């Protein structure tokens, strides 16, 4: 699960060693994993700083995993619970607030107007899916663990898209990789455990070819896929 901390990061910028929650340094060609929690992605300044750390990584073989922006996971959980109560007006208001926040980050990360417009359109597609899911919950008055996972994962998907776009704008080769394409679990919604053998196979098939081409995979750090291909957290 991603961090739900809503605290703003210190104005003192952390080193890459501190910001990357986990890295595998050592032999030549080793893969480094940079993990950014929500507090490290609180606003446009924090996201730009994270992008700079990734872009300046000493190794060309870097995989980046990101949480939702600070406080977004809690907001999405509240949207899910509000939808369950059937309060569509409040759901729409909450979704619009998250949309405006992510647009503000996008505008702060991207310098060119065309890039900002393209990124905001991409984010809006995610918000349209989120809103449709929440409206479905409100209509049925039913919220299964599976649906809750599908709702909450939008936070990580949004932040990953922000990071990818920022990297590409800086001339860094980066690619959005859905967690469900590489992480396989036992299918227990809300508390899944990874199938390590199956996950290793997927990572080798999906991530290694990108690293070989010096493309940085950016992965949302929340929802993988179960053996039968349903998302789990």
């Amino acid at each position: 699960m991603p961090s739900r901390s809503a605290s703003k990061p210190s104005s003192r910028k952390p080193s890459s060693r501190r910001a990357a929650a986990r890295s595998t340094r050592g032999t030549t060609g080793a893969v480094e994993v940079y993990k950014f929690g929500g507090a490290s992605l609180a606003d446009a300044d924090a996201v730009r700083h994270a992008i700079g750390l990734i872009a300046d990584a000493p190794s060309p073989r870097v995989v980046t995993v990101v949480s939702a922006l600070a406080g977004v996971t809690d907001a999405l959980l509240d949207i899910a619970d509000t939808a369950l109560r059937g309060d569509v007006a409040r759901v729409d208001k909450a979704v619009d607030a998250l949309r405006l926040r992510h647009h503000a980050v996008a505008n702060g990360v991207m310098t060119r107007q065309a890039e900002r417009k393209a990124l905001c359109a991409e984010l809006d597609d995610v918000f349209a899916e989120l809103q449709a899911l929440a409206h479905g919950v409100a209509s049925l008055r039913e919220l299964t663990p599976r649906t809750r996972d599908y709702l909450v994962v939008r936070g990580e998907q949004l932040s990953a898209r922000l990071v990818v776009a920022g990297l590409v704008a800086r001339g860094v080769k980066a690619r959005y990789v859905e967690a469900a394409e590489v992480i396989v679990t036992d299918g227990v919604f809300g508390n899944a455990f990874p199938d390590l053998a199956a996950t290793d196979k997927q990572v080798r098939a999906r991530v290694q070819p990108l690293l070989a081409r010096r493309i940085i995979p950016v992965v949302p750090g929340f929802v993988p896929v179960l053996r039968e291909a349903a998302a789990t957290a």
Side-chain angles (χ1 to χ4, degrees), residues 94-184:
V95 171
D96 284 342
L98 286 180
R99 180 186 292 110
L100 289 174
R101 180 180 174 189
H102 284 79
H103 277 204
V105 173
N107 289 332
V109 168
M110 310 302 286
T111 57
R112 296 186 179 89
Q113 183 63 32
E115 292 174 341
R116 290 176 177 174
K117 184 176 180 180
L119 176 55
C120 286
E122 187 177 353
L123 298 178
D124 284 344
D125 288 341
V126 180
F127 280 110
E129 294 173 357
L130 168 63
Q131 198 157 22
L133 280 169
H135 282 197
V137 170
S139 296
L140 297 174
R141 298 294 181 91
E142 179 182 48
L143 180 62
T144 65
R146 176 177 182 175
T147 302
R148 186 184 294 272
D149 284 353
Y150 273 116
L151 281 165
V152 176
V153 70
R154 308 300 161 179
E156 278 71 18
Q157 292 173 337
L158 289 161
S159 61
R161 284 173 166 82
L162 288 167
V163 171
V164 169
L167 287 168
V168 171
R170 289 184 56 150
V172 178
K173 293 192 293 184
R175 183 79 52 82
Y176 177 94
V177 177
E178 190 61 71
E181 297 177 24
V182 292
I183 309 297
V184 183

Side-chain angles (χ1 to χ4, degrees), residues 185-216:
T185 75
D186 56 10
V188 179
F189 296 103
N191 191 28
F193 190 81
D195 180 328
L196 298 181
T199 296
D200 180 70
K201 181 178 179 181
Q202 290 299 104
V203 168
R204 291 177 185 277
R206 185 70 180 90
V207 174
Q208 291 287 11
L210 294 176
L211 294 175
R213 292 155 55 196
R214 297 201 170 192
I215 297 173
I216 297 175

